[in-house]
Amino acid sequence: MTTLLINSIYRATEGEGIHIGIPQIFVRFQGCHIGCVNCDSKETWEFDPGFTISLDEVMEKIEVLSQDVIKRISITGGDPLHPSHVPSLLKLIKELKHRDYYINIEAAGTRIVPEVFDLVDFISFDFKTPSTEVKTSKDLLFKFVQNYSQKSQIKAVVSDKRDFESTFDAYFFLKQQNATIPHWCLTPCFEPGEHFPMMRFQQIVQMNENFGMPFRVIGQQHKWVYGPDARHV
Ligand code: SF4
């Protein structure tokens, strides 16, 4: 029997990135070893076997939420691409494709997993900025856009000027390689417990304008609507 470690399955409106506003079903994996210091879902880090659920149960929950109306799935985490998840993730993706779902996967920007990326419809690939204390290498990013720019976006959570400059530096590197760069979104950081960071948002918009506007600046709508600590929204 195929089992998966799943934190939650829920229906909500996409709150960030270029698909903002689209209703979809989120399948959130449990378990992540990447350790971004500003992670807003630290409750998903532990590979806790208590979250084990069968593939049949996952599909049943999805079909109940879908009602054959919402046919978009966003697979997120945690880190759904952790090697220990990949075998069961592949079975989930194949079953979803068999039932005609459109699949986005949220990729942490620390690894490329071709067997997964080739099957899904869309990849949201993180560029990890310095404030995360995790690194996305430029070479990995180049390899990613060489293979997947036609069906992806890059997302960078930006806290400050250093994050912006690091993101621009990676963008400039790709430009120098004549790479085809997909939509690249800056997500102004909105941390748990914070009030809406209007100043930070304005500064990031301004920096983007000052640097020739290479990026789209898209905040996390669900945090404005429900607050930065709300879950499953
Ligand atoms: S990869 Fe995602 S879940 Fe893992 S620590 Fe970073 S932000 Fe959190």
Side-chain angles (χ1 to χ4, degrees):
M1 182 176 67
T2 301
T3 59
L4 305 92
L5 282 191
I6 298 294
N7 171 278
S8 48
I9 300 171
Y10 56 97
R11 200 171 58 175
T13 303
E14 176 59 74
E16 60 186 54
I18 65 167
H19 295 140
I20 191 166
I22 297 179
Q24 50 191 13
I25 296 165
F26 291 82
V27 178
R28 185 174 291 281
F29 274 70
Q30 180 69 27
C32 179
H33 281 162
I34 293 172
C36 309
V37 295
N38 50 5
C39 174
D40 59 9
S41 46
K42 289 183 175 161
E43 73 281 2
T44 65
W45 284 11
E46 194 185 347
F47 285 79
D48 179 350
F51 286 94
T52 303
I53 179 171
S54 73
L55 177 59
D56 286 347
E57 286 174 276
V58 171
M59 290 309 305
E60 197 180 316
K61 282 174 187 273
I62 289 171
E63 297 283 43
V64 166
L65 292 169
S66 162
Q67 295 297 313
D68 220 17
V69 173
I70 298 176
K71 298 294 286 184
R72 293 179 74 103
I73 305 288
S74 186
I75 298 174
T76 183
D79 176 17
L81 295 169
H82 186 276
S84 67
H85 288 319
V86 169
S88 57
L89 172 64
L90 283 170
K91 289 189 178 166
L92 171 63
I93 291 169
K94 285 175 186 162
E95 187 58 37
L96 288 166
K97 290 311 299 173
H98 179 65
R99 301 191 197 192
D100 288 333
Y101 282 93
Y102 177 97
I103 305 171
N104 165 62
I105 190 148
E106 297 285 331
T110 54
R111 59 173 81 88
I112 291 169
V113 187
E115 64 268 40
V116 173
F117 288 5
D118 290 345
L119 283 182
V120 297
D121 299 286
F122 196 79
I123 306 146
S124 296
F125 197 79
D126 282 356
F127 173 74
K128 294 295 185 194
T129 48
S131 67
T132 66
E133 296 187 18
V134 171
K135 191 170 171 55
T136 301
S137 83
K138 288 183 203 167
D139 289 341
L140 186 77
L141 198 59
F142 182 47
K143 193 170 162 200
F144 176 74
V145 300
Q146 277 183 306
N147 289 286
Y148 299 106
S149 66
Q150 299 311 315
K151 60 171 193 178
S152 66
Q153 65 179 330
I154 302 171
K155 288 194 295 185
V157 173
V158 175
S159 283
D160 51 27
K161 189 163 180 273
R162 192 173 61 129
D163 282 353
F164 180 88
E165 288 175 351
S166 157
T167 309
F168 187 82
D169 183 55
Y171 170 85
F172 191 66
F173 170 78
L174 293 185
K175 277 295 215 194
Q176 285 180 315
Q177 313 304 314
N178 289 320
T180 304
I181 304 177
H183 294 293
W184 193 323
C185 302
L186 306 184
T187 308
C189 188
F190 188 172
E191 299 213 15
E194 260 193 329
H195 290 295
F196 177 66
M198 190 164 69
M199 288 297 291
R200 184 184 302 138
F201 214 113
Q202 289 174 355
Q203 284 163 356
I204 291 165
V205 168
Q206 198 61 58
M207 283 188 280
N208 191 42
E209 291 180 5
N210 292 345
F211 277 72
M213 305 177 92
F215 306 115
R216 293 176 66 170
V217 183
I218 303 177
Q220 294 168 299
Q221 173 178 265
H222 54 290
K223 294 187 180 180
W224 314 337
V225 175
Y226 296 102
D229 301 304
R231 292 285 175 266
H232 305 159
V233 292

